Each structure stands twice: as structure tokens, then as C-alpha cells.
Amino acid sequence: MADATTHQEFDPLATGGMRRRLVSKAIVYGALGLFALVYLTPLLIISLNTLRPLEDIVRTGFIALPEAETMTLRYWGEAWGSFCIGGTCEGVSRFYKNSLMMTIPATVLSTLFGLLNGYVLSKWRFRYDGLVFGLITLGVFMPQQMTLLPWAFVLGKLGLSNTIGGLVFVHTVQGISFTTLFCRNYFVSIPDDLIKAARIDGAGFWRIFRRIILPLSPPIVIVTVIWQFTGIWNEFLFGTVFTSGANQPITSAIVAFSGSGTGERHYNVEAAAVIMAAIPPLLIYVVGGKYFVRGLTQGAVK
Amino acid sequence: MSSLTIRDLRKSYGNVEVLTDINLEAESGEFVALVGPSGCGKSTLLSIIAGLESVTSGEVRIEDRVVNNDAPKDRDIAMVFQSYALYPTMTVRENMTFGMECRNVPRAEQKETVEKVADLLQIGPLLNRKPSQLSGGQRQRVAMGRALVRDPKLFLFDEPLSNLDAKLRIEMRSEIKKLHQRVGKTTVYVTHDQVEAMTLASRIAVMYKGVLQQYDTPKEIYERPRNKFVAGFMGSPTMNFLDAKVVAHGDGLGLTVDGGDGAVMPVTSEKSAGLTQGQPVVFGVRPEHFNPVHAHRGDPIATLKVLVDMVEPTGSETILMSRVAGQNVVASVEPDDAPNEGETVELAINMGKICLFDPATELRL
Ligand SMILES: Nc1ncnc2c1ncn2[C@@H]1O[C@H](COP(=O)(O)OP(=O)(O)OP(=O)(O)O)[C@@H](O)[C@H]1O
Ligand SMILES: [Mg+2]
């Protein structure tokens, strides 16, 4: 993932002879391999279970290879489109859509506000700017549970209870703490002289933002987008508390459907649904993970 | 007509006063250098002129207009920063046109202006590069180019050469001088390099601890520094300060170095006005106004016997680190005349060039 350590000041492997080198290599790879195995085994088991018929799972347990003759992809289809959850038989597709409708706007909005806040807080001095920054970032350290009640109250007042729009609103506001912190800390490394030069050149607040700050922002935008997207997509508490039935995001819906308790558990369909739910954040991380680390570690101007 | 006037300017950050009662005036086309040690408030003063910092009290005028409350963009100034402050995501050309773009200058005119300035600074081939693809010297040129396209009333430079290596610095220095002669704009130039100030400026403002110590032509500052600080700051190696006493000498007055052998150095009549016998003074002599005793040319001469501790040849001159009665004396002499380490030699002092200071007030007498 990270290509940060292509050069080391001290190379521990270079200090010994051939034998020692081989031994230390074996230890390093062995340990890493073991950890990888621990992390990947559940994913593997779940993936295999999506291909197995229910009788097979019940008969031989969770941990077994699919049999060639009964192996099928139809549980994926079922999970997506026709499985019944809480009375409606549409699979997870509608909840998937809910999650996208919630995550994408909330990610975009919180990132935009974060950029703007970061710019103001790092490049413009005003009375009590430190206090404002402190209050905004306080949200980073506030336990989510503490905000449940106030949010329920606000959503009720705004008429946004049990709507995707309500969740977008909550996630945008909650996310601003993080995005502001990230962007502000990134922007402080942009030299103030650039802003001064632009002011002398005649650029105002917005033009400086558009022409100087934003073009320098891609690394931190990638960071906040990944952070926000995965965070909001995987978020479960707000979704469960503030929405119900057809308006839930996928994380809450999956729980509802495995916990519905009526009749037998469809492990294979559930497994397929879980993997589907995990795909978007994984995809984002695989595509952008490299830039994530880079964006967090590198300053704005080399 | 004066193009920049600063009157009774004060600036404080909280309780800390960083500029105190600054009065300064620059004629149209003048090149003013602001010099002083680090932290004396040069950059702050420049930022105030630019409008990037507010004024606590006093007045800044550009031409006939008080600009205290004008935004930087309305002051008709251009500034070159120590860090160059080139916009890293824009090409050189975009860097230069950004200011015109903000002012809605027509595209054709932008292009023409950039071409003209690029020609002047010989940065034509660099126009499509990003700042990160330029060398330090090239960045410096582009930063000047960005200021020049604006055709402002006032140029401000904040230590523009301090990030360059010694050779390039000297090259760019003469280029800035040429450029100023050609463009003829009023310029305020901050530097802590007194050689830069001496070579470039028509007038030098020496600052220390937020106070303007002296504002005068380079020659005046060098020859008639107002106080001990200015005398010590301008010139390299720095001026020698010896504790001495005024004594009678023939018809006029002379000086003896405290704790020395009592040899009397006669003071010229022109310099002895205002001195009284027995008065303690600080005797200031620049290193280059010493000579081994045989090398004088009809100047009013006095001699001083010193013990040479160390000899440092630099090629063009040789620096003597020496002592007289426990006080350090640095002298710069012709390499051929240089004595050896450990020798006691008589140095001749050109008494026409010396400065005398009051030990208490540090002002020149
Ligand atoms: N924002 C600020 N708040 C408080 N003090 C400040 C601020 N900016 C500058 N100062 C103080 O003002 C004084 C003058 O600073 P200034 O940057 O003008 O010095 P300078 O002469 O340009 O020094 P240098 O040669 O190092 O650039 C310094 O003592 C500095 O600590
Ligand atoms: Mg400075």
C-alpha cells in the first residue's frame, strides 16, 4: 500500500551475513503472512459461503469448500434483487441505493465545507479564530452516542426524521469536524506569502480559494473523500436510530435482515449481501489508499 | 515630488511595539534600502507599506493619497518576496498574468505585456514551465517579472536575494540595479546585507529595534553615521570602537587610548569642535582606515602601536586581528604591507575619517 519506505536510513538486513539475512527474511515474511491469514480468513469463508446452498452449509458447517456440483452464483442475485427483508422482497438493492444517496452527497458536502473552513482558519486571521477551530474539532472527540438525542430533536424539528436527506444532513455536519481538521492542518503548510502575493495581485477571498488553494488541494481532498466515504458508508448507529423500513442505509438493513429472527437464517444470501455492502469502501481504499497515505504525510508545497 | 511618505508611524502587536515613530520619505524614482539586524521590523514596515499589515498610528502616503485604509490591491504597488511566493500550480506565464487577470486586463494586452517583460528579464523560454522546474535564480527573475508586468507606482522588495548563492547574488544585484535605472520606479528594498544596501540604494534607512536610526545617502551613512549602532552596522569588517580620552596636544586636542602607552593622536580641527579636555570618548576607526605607518599619502595621520594576534589574508586585502591595551583592533591592510603574527607594529590612522562617539548616548560628536 504505502511506498513510503523505499529508502531506509538504517537497513537492519544489511548488517549480517547471508545466513542471518535469510533467517530474518523468513521471520519477517512468516509473521506478515500469519497476520494476513488472520485478517483474510473470515473474508474467504464468507465469500465461499455465498456460493453454497443452504443445506450444504447446515450439513457441513461454515468452514468448508463449496462442492462443484452445487456451487452457484444465484444467492448473489437473490441477495441483490429478490430476497425478502421486513415484508418487501427487493433484496438489498434499494438499501444500496439509499446508502449511495446518503454517502455521496454527505461526502461531497462535508469535504467542500472542510476545504472552506480549513482555508479560512489557516489563512485568514479573525477574532477568536482559535476558539472557533477548537470548537469545530471538538466534534472529532465527541462520542457519537452523545449526539443522538440532540440530532433526533433537530431532525424532528426540521421534518427530516426517517429520511435519507436527514442522514445526509447529520453526516455532513458530523463530518465537518474531521474535514476541517484535516484541511486546516494541510493548508497551514501553504506559505502565507502566496496569499499575500495574491492579495497584492488583486485577488479576493474567493479567487484566492479557487485559483491558489484548490489547485493545491487534491492530496487532502483524496484523504477526506476516502475518510468520509468509508466512514459514512460503514456508519450504522445513526442509520438505525434515525431511519427505519425502506429508508435505511445498507448497514442498518443488513442487521435488520439477519436479526429479523423469523424462520431459518439464509446464511448464503446474508453472506452475499455483507460482501456487497463491503465492496464500495474497499474499492475506494484499493484505488485511493496510496494517495491517502501520501496526502496525510506530505505537505502542500514541496 | 515624493512618491512615498511615512509619517510618525507606529505599529504594535498587543503590548509589543515593533515600530516606533518612523518618518521616511522617498522621492519619485528613488531606491530606498531598509537595513537592520534580524527582527528590527523591516519586513513589518514593508508589509505596512503594502497594506498587508494594519497601522497602529501614523500615516502612509503613496504619492498624494493617504493609503492607511486601502487594501493592498488598491495601492498600486508590486512586491517581490524573499520566498518568491510564485504560485506553484501555475506556469510562469500564468504567474505573471494572474494580477492582470484579477484586474480584467484584456487578453491581448496581457500577452503583449508578458512578452515585453519576459524579454527584459530574458525568461522567454521559461514561460510554460512550473516554478518547481526552475532554478533559484530563474525563480527570482520570474518573481521580478511578476512585479514588473504590473507597472506599479511603487516596487517593494523583501530580501529578494537572500536565498541565492553568493555569486548569483552579486549577479542579480547588478541586474536589479540596471533594471531600476531602466524602469525608474520608486523602490523600497529590504535587506540585511549592508553591501547590497550600499551598492543599490540612493538612500539607506538603517533600523534597529523598531526605530529608524538614520536615513541618508550611502556616503553620508558610511562617513558620518549618526550613532555607534549605524557606524557598527554599516561596513565590513565592522568599525573598531576604542575607549579613549581627549587630551591637549600642541595648540589643539588629541586622543589617548585608555590603558595604552599614552601616545597622543592629534584630532583635526574640524573634528575637535565640541570636544573638551579630559572628556571620555569612543574612538571609531574603520579597518580600512588603518595603514602600516609608511603608506600614507598626505592625509592627517596619527599612529597607534598594536600587537598583532592573527593575520587573515583574503587575497585582495589582509585582515589583522590585533590589540592595543586589551582593546581589540581589526585592521585591513595591503597584503604586501602585512606584518607577521606576534609582531608589534605601528599602524597609521587616517584621522580625517575617524568618528567620535559619546560613550553615554552613543551619538556621534
Ligand atoms: N504577527 C506578529 N505578532 C507579534 N509579533 C510579531 C508579529 N510579526 C512580527 N512580529 C515581531 O515584530 C518584530 C519585527 O519583525 P520583522 O519580521 O519585521 O523583522 P525583520 O526586520 O524583517 O527581520 P528579518 O531580517 O529576520 O526578516 C519581530 O520582533 C517579530 O517578532
Ligand atoms: Mg524580514
Side-chain angles (χ1 to χ4, degrees):
Chain A
M1 181 189 68
D3 49 359
T5 50
T6 49
H7 169 76
Q8 280 179 305
E9 290 292 305
F10 169 71
D11 182 358
L13 297 183
T15 54
M18 189 65 172
R19 212 178 98 90
R20 198 165 137 196
R21 223 178 289 184
L22 280 179
V23 171
S24 36
K25 267 211 169 122
I27 292 175
V28 167
Y29 282 104
L32 290 178
L34 192 70
F35 283 123
L37 201 67
V38 169
Y39 283 118
L40 291 176
T41 307
L43 182 66
L44 184 71
I45 292 172
I46 294 271
S47 306
L48 292 177
N49 278 331
T50 64
L51 307 174
R52 302 166 67 199
L54 204 53
E55 314 81 78
D56 187 16
I57 299 179
V58 171
R59 199 178 61 243
T60 55
F62 284 114
I63 305 175
L65 287 176
E67 286 157 21
E69 29 327 340
T70 59
M71 201 161 98
T72 169
L73 279 172
R74 60 175 260 253
Y75 306 114
W76 281 81
E78 231 174 85
W80 179 252
S82 62
F83 193 71
C84 298
I85 305 167
T88 49
C89 296
E90 297 179 75
V92 296
S93 56
R94 79 169 303 144
F95 304 107
Y96 217 85
K97 221 176 78 206
N98 285 347
S99 269
L100 286 176
M101 299 279 287
M102 167 186 78
T103 309
I104 293 173
T107 301
V108 170
L109 287 175
S110 59
T111 299
L112 282 180
F113 281 116
L115 287 167
L116 200 57
N117 287 347
Y119 164 56
V120 173
L121 288 169
S122 62
K123 293 297 166 228
W124 297 87
R125 269 179 289 165
F126 55 93
R127 217 176 231 282
Y128 304 126
D129 48 359
L131 184 68
V132 170
F133 179 58
L135 287 177
I136 291 181
T137 47
L138 198 61
V140 173
F141 307 102
M142 193 111 77
Q144 239 183 357
Q145 297 87 318
M146 254 176 74
T147 64
L148 279 178
L149 214 57
W151 273 127
F153 178 78
V154 170
L155 291 179
K157 283 275 176 210
L158 294 175
L160 290 171
S161 304
N162 197 20
T163 61
I164 293 297
L167 285 183
V168 169
F169 182 56
V170 172
H171 284 306
T172 301
V173 175
Q174 290 285 129
I176 283 174
S177 298
F178 278 99
T179 55
T180 300
L181 180 69
F182 282 155
C183 293
R184 186 251 175 212
N185 287 353
Y186 180 78
F187 290 156
V188 284
S189 69
I190 296 178
D192 287 342
D193 279 358
L194 284 186
I195 312 296
K196 292 184 188 168
R199 283 174 64 199
I200 290 177
D201 265 344
F205 179 88
W206 290 107
R207 197 193 293 263
I208 294 175
F209 184 56
R210 246 185 23 248
R211 297 292 311 278
I212 316 280
I213 301 289
L214 278 189
L216 286 168
S217 300
I220 201 65
V221 167
I222 288 172
V223 169
T224 57
V225 163
I226 290 180
W227 184 270
Q228 285 302 94
F229 190 95
T230 51
I232 297 172
W233 183 277
N234 290 334
E235 204 280 332
F236 161 73
L237 187 63
F238 290 144
T240 309
V241 174
F242 298 137
T243 56
S244 58
N247 289 330
Q248 290 197 313
I250 189 155
T251 42
S252 316
I254 281 180
V255 174
F257 113 154
S258 56
S260 55
T262 54
E264 56 180 343
R265 298 282 302 270
H266 292 260
Y267 297 115
N268 43 14
V269 180
E270 282 174 24
V274 164
I275 291 185
M276 276 186 225
I279 284 175
L282 273 181
L283 213 60
I284 286 252
Y285 198 68
V286 167
V287 174
K290 184 162 82 178
Y291 302 101
F292 185 77
V293 175
R294 219 179 271 169
L296 276 183
T297 51
Q298 118 198 340
V301 182
K302 273 150 276 175
Chain B
M1 184 188 58
S2 72
S3 123
L4 172 71
T5 315
I6 294 171
R7 217 162 269 149
D8 300 330
L9 179 84
R10 281 170 185 273
K11 171 73 184 173
S12 6
Y13 290 110
N15 306 331
V16 189
E17 190 153 81
V18 293
L19 291 175
T20 309
D21 274 333
I22 305 285
N23 282 289
L24 204 107
E25 203 165 295
E27 301 296 316
S28 180
E30 206 171 352
F31 197 117
V32 175
L34 291 180
V35 294
S38 193
C40 69
K42 310 179 293 287
S43 299
T44 308
L45 180 54
L46 204 68
S47 295
I48 287 176
I49 298 172
L52 297 167
E53 294 279 356
S54 63
V55 170
T56 304
S57 75
E59 185 179 283
V60 179
R61 245 172 223 275
I62 294 176
E63 295 196 336
D64 293 329
R65 205 156 52 98
V66 178
V67 295
N68 279 21
N69 296 314
D70 289 2
K73 67 179 165 63
D74 301 325
R75 296 193 178 195
D76 208 358
I77 49 162
M79 184 156 168
V80 177
F81 292 83
Q82 178 174 11
S83 61
Y84 312 140
L86 299 177
Y87 311 126
T89 54
M90 298 186 198
T91 62
V92 168
R93 181 191 296 279
E94 287 164 339
N95 262 285
M96 289 168 73
T97 53
F98 185 68
M100 293 189 279
E101 183 194 311
C102 295
R103 279 151 223 275
N104 300 317
V105 175
R107 289 217 163 243
E109 193 180 322
Q110 288 184 19
K111 196 164 151 46
E112 199 180 310
T113 317
V114 168
E115 233 95 284
K116 207 175 71 199
V117 172
D119 257 6
L120 186 69
L121 292 171
Q122 296 162 5
I123 50 174
L126 309 177
L127 283 177
N128 293 319
R129 291 212 209 156
K130 291 274 175 66
S132 57
Q133 299 166 314
L134 302 175
S135 72
Q138 290 167 333
R139 279 179 214 189
Q140 162 68 66
R141 267 166 216 268
V142 174
M144 295 209 303
R146 189 171 67 181
L148 281 170
V149 290
R150 291 271 317 283
D151 193 28
K153 289 203 190 87
L154 197 58
F155 272 117
L156 307 175
F157 289 83
D158 193 355
E159 305 196 23
L161 304 184
S162 57
N163 287 338
L164 302 178
D165 65 59
K167 186 154 172 282
L168 203 51
R169 191 149 61 212
I170 293 170
E171 249 173 69
M172 288 308 291
R173 190 170 77 201
S174 54
E175 237 172 271
I176 289 181
K177 182 152 191 160
K178 258 188 264 166
L179 204 66
H180 178 254
Q181 283 164 353
R182 217 150 134 188
V183 183
K185 290 278 173 183
T186 316
T187 302
V188 181
Y189 185 102
V190 168
T191 175
H192 57 235
D193 180 345
Q194 36 96 14
V195 182
E196 246 170 56
M198 295 292 287
T199 48
L200 288 172
S202 55
R203 273 197 282 180
I204 298 177
V206 184
M207 293 178 59
Y208 181 53
K209 291 191 173 157
V211 178
L212 183 59
Q213 305 289 324
Q214 189 169 4
Y215 180 46
D216 232 321
T217 60
K219 191 171 149 66
E220 273 295 297
I221 294 239
Y222 189 75
E223 289 177 0
R224 302 161 52 79
R226 181 183 298 158
N227 58 31
K228 214 176 134 186
F229 172 80
V230 176
F233 189 76
M234 301 303 286
S236 166
T238 179
M239 184 185 264
N240 296 291
F241 296 111
L242 299 172
D243 295 327
K245 206 166 251 82
V246 179
V247 294
H249 177 73
D251 294 338
L253 296 171
L255 296 170
T256 54
V257 173
D258 288 358
D261 57 6
V264 178
M265 296 169 284
V267 180
T268 58
S269 54
E270 168 196 358
K271 302 235 178 221
S272 48
L275 296 182
T276 51
Q277 243 186 76
Q279 181 184 4
V281 291
V282 173
F283 173 47
V285 201
R286 294 196 184 277
E288 57 271 35
H289 296 145
F290 284 106
N291 263 312
V293 74
H294 48 85
H296 57 90
R297 319 169 291 270
D299 292 321
I301 290 297
T303 59
L304 186 67
K305 210 178 263 175
V306 300
L307 171 65
V308 180
D309 286 328
M310 214 183 341
V311 178
E312 292 182 348
T314 67
S316 57
E317 57 182 12
T318 294
I319 312 288
L320 308 181
M321 305 289 187
S322 56
R323 261 178 308 157
V324 54
Q327 306 194 55
N328 291 325
V329 175
V330 178
S332 148
V333 301
E334 291 282 321
D336 293 342
D337 300 337
N340 295 319
E341 282 173 20
E343 270 184 65
T344 300
V345 290
E346 275 203 325
L347 293 177
I349 297 171
N350 183 345
M351 294 300 278
K353 306 257 182 182
I354 65 161
C355 297
L356 298 175
F357 301 94
D358 185 312
T361 62
E362 306 209 328
L363 291 175
R364 192 167 53 84
L365 294 166

